[in-house]
Amino acid sequence: MSGLISLLRPQQWLKNGFVLIGLIFSHGWTDPALVSGVAVGFVVFCLASSAVYVLNDYHDRDADAAHPKKRLRAIASGQVGLPAARALIAVLFCTALGLPLVCGMWPVALAVAGYLILNIAYTLSLKHKVLVDVFCIAAGFMIRLACGTYAVGIIPSRWMLLCSFMLTLFLGFAKRRAEIASAPLGAPASQGSTRIVLRQYSAQLLDLLVAITASTTLLAYGLYTVDADTAALHGTQQLIVTLPIVTFGVFRYLFLLYKGGSGEEPGRDLLADNQIRFAVLAWAAVVILLVRT
């Protein structure tokens, strides 16, 4: 049972919080229909993302078995047998697609189907193509955002879309940079890694891409906070005061990436660092205070 649970990677469900963004920033939490629709979307994306993780581990089991760390994964180590893994994949895929259909939410089912198709293509081929691999990761997050907005009748702002897109690219390129940095000293960047695509990246290229996407993320968020439509929606023109908090959070993540050996697992890193947790809580507290006043 512990092996099956580890395959699901519940610690990664934090990423599905993108489904909730539209509900929060549109003040839709007062509408029970929107809340229930987004809740279904969050649950099915947790199931869908777990299905993708199991599929990836199943597909990469031989390469993982030769990796110094990934050989401990449940399928690669033999803790979970191949028939059990196939059965788990089938159950997760069917439940993720079936639940929204049973609830009469076909737009959510369509978003989940798109996410699954994208990630099947990613697992089988696209993850080996330089740049395309990270854009696929970003696309997965944008599909989550679409599920929590368009699929339940919320129209996201252009700034929300831009901020989310640049943030996911930033996290994706930071992940690749961390994977290169984790290679043994003096060894090729791809040695000890199951990611063939790392052979096409370099530390210098990824440093540049991380810098560009981090800067653009902060710029987009800053413009969002001073936008007239944002002020009208939230009833305040003071959201700009949250920009230093967000900037600190991004800079802290960069520090962890380059000095703390983090970045390979963004979900884990965001939960593990006390300063980032404090920044998130401080940002949420200031936003709630400003919106309510």
Side-chain angles (χ1 to χ4, degrees), residues 107-136:
V108 173
L110 185 62
V112 173
Y115 174 83
L116 292 173
I117 292 171
L118 171 68
N119 279 279
I120 290 172
Y122 176 84
T123 297
L124 298 179
S125 174
L126 298 180
K127 68 179 180 180
H128 301 311
K129 300 185 182 298
V130 66
L131 296 180
V132 174
D133 61 325
V134 175
F135 273 80
C136 285

Side-chain angles (χ1 to χ4, degrees), residues 34-92:
L34 289 180
V35 172
S36 62
V38 172
V40 170
F42 178 79
V43 170
V44 297
F45 265 94
C46 288
L47 295 171
S49 60
S50 289
V52 169
Y53 291 134
V54 181
L55 175 64
N56 186 71
D57 285 1
Y58 180 87
H59 181 266
D60 292 345
R61 61 189 181 277
D62 292 333
D64 286 348
H67 189 275
K69 294 181 180 179
K70 295 180 181 181
R71 61 184 176 83
L72 300 177
R73 288 179 174 177
I75 297 178
S77 66
Q79 185 180 4
V80 174
L82 298 185
R86 288 193 292 267
L88 182 59
I89 292 171
V91 169
L92 290 171

Side-chain angles (χ1 to χ4, degrees), residues 177-200:
R177 183 62 177 85
E179 289 167 344
I180 283 184
S182 67
L185 186 63
S190 59
Q191 183 173 318
S193 174
T194 58
R195 296 195 187 278
I196 299 174
V197 74
L198 289 183
R199 300 171 186 170
Q200 303 179 64

Side-chain angles (χ1 to χ4, degrees), residues 25-255:
F25 283 92
S26 68
H27 295 212
W29 59 78
T30 59
D31 187 332
L34 289 180
V35 172
S36 62
V38 172
V40 170
F42 178 79
V43 170
V44 297
F45 265 94
C46 288
L47 295 171
S49 60
S50 289
V52 169
Y53 291 134
V54 181
L55 175 64
N56 186 71
D57 285 1
Y58 180 87
H59 181 266
D60 292 345
R61 61 189 181 277
D62 292 333
D64 286 348
H67 189 275
K69 294 181 180 179
K70 295 180 181 181
R71 61 184 176 83
L72 300 177
R73 288 179 174 177
I75 297 178
S77 66
Q79 185 180 4
V80 174
L82 298 185
R86 288 193 292 267
L88 182 59
I89 292 171
V91 169
L92 290 171
F93 267 69
C94 292
T95 307
L97 286 171
L99 181 58
L101 290 176
V102 170
C103 296
M105 303 174 62
W106 66 265
V108 173
L110 185 62
V112 173
Y115 174 83
L116 292 173
I117 292 171
L118 171 68
N119 279 279
I120 290 172
Y122 176 84
T123 297
L124 298 179
S125 174
L126 298 180
K127 68 179 180 180
H128 301 311
K129 300 185 182 298
V130 66
L131 296 180
V132 174
D133 61 325
V134 175
F135 273 80
C136 285
I137 295 173
F141 281 102
M142 298 307 290
I143 291 175
R144 290 177 172 95
L145 180 61
C147 176
T149 54
Y150 292 111
V152 295
I154 297 173
I155 304 300
S157 73
R158 60 189 184 277
W159 293 118
M160 181 192 302
L161 296 173
L162 179 58
C163 288
S164 300
F165 178 62
M166 297 312 303
L167 175 62
T168 54
L169 284 180
F170 165 63
L171 294 175
F173 287 125
K175 179 179 175 66
R176 291 292 181 264
R177 183 62 177 85
E179 289 167 344
I180 283 184
S182 67
L185 186 63
S190 59
Q191 183 173 318
S193 174
T194 58
R195 296 195 187 278
I196 299 174
V197 74
L198 289 183
R199 300 171 186 170
Q200 303 179 64
Y201 283 111
S202 67
Q204 294 79 7
L205 172 62
L206 288 168
D207 287 341
L208 180 61
L209 294 174
V210 167
I212 291 172
T213 52
S215 301
T216 311
T217 298
L218 293 175
L219 177 61
Y221 181 78
L223 291 173
Y224 166 77
T225 62
V226 298
D227 183 65
D229 292 339
T230 301
L233 174 63
H234 298 296
T236 178
Q237 297 182 355
Q238 306 306 318
L239 283 177
I240 187 65
V241 302
T242 64
L243 181 58
I245 302 175
V246 174
T247 303
F248 173 82
V250 172
F251 286 1
R252 175 64 182 176
Y253 194 80
L254 288 171
F255 171 82

